[in-house]
């Protein structure tokens, strides 16, 4: 079994960071909808979903095969 790349732990941490930021954006977007600023809330949800997708891909690529 080959060892993972030396960059894998750093990539995994970056992916987890992106997933964490995405989670915060998605959870906090509710406040924008509650304050009648749904445009900002929708934009925040979209950015959160994009960050979650990118973070998930980075974490999956960093896993040893």
């Amino acid at each position: 079994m080959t060892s993972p790349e030396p960059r894998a732990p750093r990539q995994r941490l970056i992916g987890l960071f992106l997933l964490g930021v995405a989670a915060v954006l998605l959870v906090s977007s509710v406040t924008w909808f509650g304050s009648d600023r749904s445009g900002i809330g929708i934009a925040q949800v979209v950015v959160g979903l994009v960050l979650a997708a990118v973070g998930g891909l980075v974490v999956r690529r960093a896993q040893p095969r």
Side-chain angles (χ1 to χ4, degrees):
M1 185 170 178
T2 62
S3 63
E5 298 177 4
R7 298 175 69 184
R10 182 177 295 171
Q11 287 179 347
R12 185 171 184 271
L13 287 176
I14 291 171
L16 291 174
F17 174 75
L18 290 175
L19 287 173
V21 171
V24 169
L25 286 174
L26 291 172
V27 169
S28 66
S29 67
V30 177
T31 60
W32 292 111
F33 291 111
S35 64
D36 292 333
R37 294 188 178 189
S38 57
I40 296 173
I42 291 170
Q44 192 166 341
V45 167
V46 170
V47 171
L49 291 175
V50 169
L51 283 178
V54 171
L57 287 173
V58 171
V59 168
R60 283 186 63 192
R61 285 190 60 189
Q63 296 295 328
R65 295 180 181 176

